[in-house]
Amino acid sequence: MRRLAAVAILAGVLMAAAAACKDEKSAAPPPLALSKVAVGQAEPVVLAAHGSELLVGLRHRGAKVVPEAQILRNGRWTPIAVRPNAASPYAFEAIWYSIAYDGKQLLALGGASGGAHSNTRWTVWTGTPQTGLVEHPQNFWTFGGQTAGDLFSAVLTPSGGALLGTWGGVETGNDAMVWLPQPDGKWARQDPTKTALQSTSSLLVGPGFGTTLGDSIVLVGSQVRLAPNTVAQEAAVWRSTKANQGWTRIALPEPGSRSQANTATCAKDCVISGYVDGKLAIWQLDASGTAKRLQGVPSVPVGDKDKLPPPIVDGDKIVQVVAQDNKVKVLTGQGGEWTVQDTQGPEGQVTDAVLMPDHKLYLIAGTSLWQTTLS
């Protein structure tokens, strides 16, 4: 009897120890504390980074010139001059939609609602941190007219800059559209006919975000397949070989019943964030064009109107910042395992995020800029 009792006690101890180990392993990590970054009276709206330099595009509602910009260098914030042209009244009211920075050149896309139909009036800005951002007036038909679509990204490649968006289709619907700079400071739409950027009667293209991968431009969004009794929306990527040349379309795997790619970050390969059937989904696309959907991604609701900042690649980790129920969460994936970390400080929709070489994470949540250091 004593022997049986001893065995029972030992078994109980072992079970308790195993349970404790399991609880410790599955315990949620402690909340990540973020601190607010002072950027004056203006609201941050977009971020851009190159090396150790961070650029933030701002919106100052009460100023004569609404768009502002600052750059963080060597621990100090320095204003970047913003120079709208008097011939472009909407430039003074512009809100930054996208700013590209390659360490030397700046290319920015601004927009302000106006006119009888409150359509977005687009403005293009170029320059450097030293000379400032200078707006270049365009004629109305560059971005406007009855077949106008949307614009969403400015990008810089080794071959030059490009503006990315959509435009009334050559055949049907909207086509993906690329604008390239001209010697006179104007920007010109490129012809998507018979390329992967063109919509057809059986497939509608719908990009909504753009970035670069070396010489290539990468667009992410969705494609809609049309067939008898079939309307299927699937996450998709469009990638060029160089600037606006050699476009291919890649349907992302495991699209579920309805999916969309929202944002992407590209270095050696691309990490793409979006949703499948209303839940967060993350894909990887390698240089050969082979894509896979990452497994085990935490179940976070993502809808059509939700914002997703670009995913962050930190060595062998993938970090995705999300907002759920007005609370900011940091999702980290490594080796197929994912953790979800709550945050202290920021609330509201997360619109942009970047990770600097010193592992400082900067993000825009609500109307403020926040920072923390990732371990």
Side-chain angles (χ1 to χ4, degrees):
M1 294 294 293
R2 291 180 180 177
R3 192 172 184 180
L4 289 174
V7 170
I9 292 171
L10 179 59
V13 170
L14 291 174
M15 289 176 64
C21 291
K22 182 178 180 181
D23 289 342
E24 183 178 351
K25 183 177 180 180
S26 60
L32 185 64
L34 282 83
S35 58
K36 189 178 293 187
V37 180
V39 287
Q41 298 180 341
E43 303 170 8
V45 288
V46 295
L47 300 174
H50 182 83
S52 61
E53 299 180 344
L54 173 68
L55 187 146
V56 55
L58 302 154
R59 175 189 187 184
H60 194 164
R61 296 175 186 268
K64 180 180 179 181
V65 179
V66 172
E68 295 184 1
Q70 295 186 33
I71 190 167
L72 178 63
R73 282 175 165 166
N74 301 319
R76 296 183 59 185
W77 288 99
T78 303
I80 296 175
V82 176
R83 299 188 173 93
N85 192 296
S88 303
Y90 289 108
F92 291 80
E93 305 172 16
I95 301 169
W96 300 122
Y97 277 66
S98 177
I99 299 178
Y101 179 48
D102 64 1
K104 296 180 180 179
Q105 299 296 314
L106 292 166
L107 173 62
L109 175 66
S113 297
H117 302 287
S118 295
N119 292 330
T120 303
R121 310 300 178 174
W122 300 102
T123 48
V124 187
W125 312 66
T126 63
T128 70
Q130 292 75 30
T131 62
L133 278 162
V134 179
E135 189 260 333
H136 302 276
Q138 307 295 308
N139 67 58
F140 174 78
W141 303 106
T142 303
F143 304 120
Q146 292 183 337
T147 55
D150 195 14
L151 280 83
F152 43 75
S153 296
V155 297
L156 289 168
T157 76
S159 302
L163 302 176
L164 310 174
T166 61
W167 197 262
V170 174
E171 181 179 330
T172 186
N174 278 348
D175 296 334
M177 182 53 63
V178 177
W179 285 260
L180 295 180
Q182 307 302 300
D184 60 357
K186 298 294 191 289
W187 288 71
R189 295 192 308 272
Q190 305 302 296
D191 187 2
T193 304
K194 296 182 179 180
T195 73
L197 302 183
Q198 181 186 348
S199 291
T200 67
S201 58
S202 60
L203 189 141
L204 303 178
V205 303
F209 179 87
T211 186
T212 60
L213 177 59
D215 289 327
S216 303
I217 295 174
V218 178
L219 300 170
V220 302
S222 64
Q223 61 181 21
V224 177
R225 291 189 293 109
L226 304 174
N229 302 316
T230 299
V231 179
Q233 179 182 331
E234 304 164 338
V237 177
W238 294 261
R239 190 176 69 179
S240 69
T241 54
K242 181 179 180 181
N244 190 44
Q245 304 170 18
W247 285 99
T248 55
R249 174 178 50 84
I250 302 162
L252 293 176
E254 301 181 51
S257 299
R258 185 169 180 265
S259 59
Q260 169 88 20
N262 289 25
T263 54
T265 297
C266 299
K268 295 180 180 179
D269 56 12
C270 291
V271 179
I272 302 156
S273 296
Y275 66 81
V276 172
D277 297 333
K279 301 293 185 181
L280 176 68
I282 300 178
W283 294 268
Q284 278 186 311
L285 177 70
D286 66 23
S288 69
T290 302
K292 66 177 181 180
R293 183 177 168 189
L294 301 187
Q295 302 303 306
V297 175
S299 180
V300 177
V302 179
D304 289 333
K305 295 183 179 181
D306 291 329
K307 293 286 187 180
L308 276 178
I312 290 165
V313 179
D314 182 15
D316 59 352
K317 299 178 183 177
I318 294 175
V319 179
Q320 180 66 59
V321 184
V322 300
Q324 184 177 6
D325 299 326
N326 215 39
K327 300 295 184 181
V328 177
K329 298 178 182 292
V330 177
L331 282 54
T332 304
Q334 184 178 25
E337 300 291 331
W338 289 83
T339 60
V340 179
Q341 195 167 14
D342 293 329
T343 63
Q344 294 177 337
E347 292 186 354
Q349 193 174 65
V350 184
T351 55
D352 212 347
V354 297
L355 184 67
M356 306 303 292
D358 58 2
H359 291 275
K360 280 190 177 180
L361 172 68
Y362 289 85
L363 61 89
I364 298 173
T367 58
S368 300
L369 180 65
W370 300 83
Q371 73 160 4
T372 189
T373 301
L374 297 183
S375 57

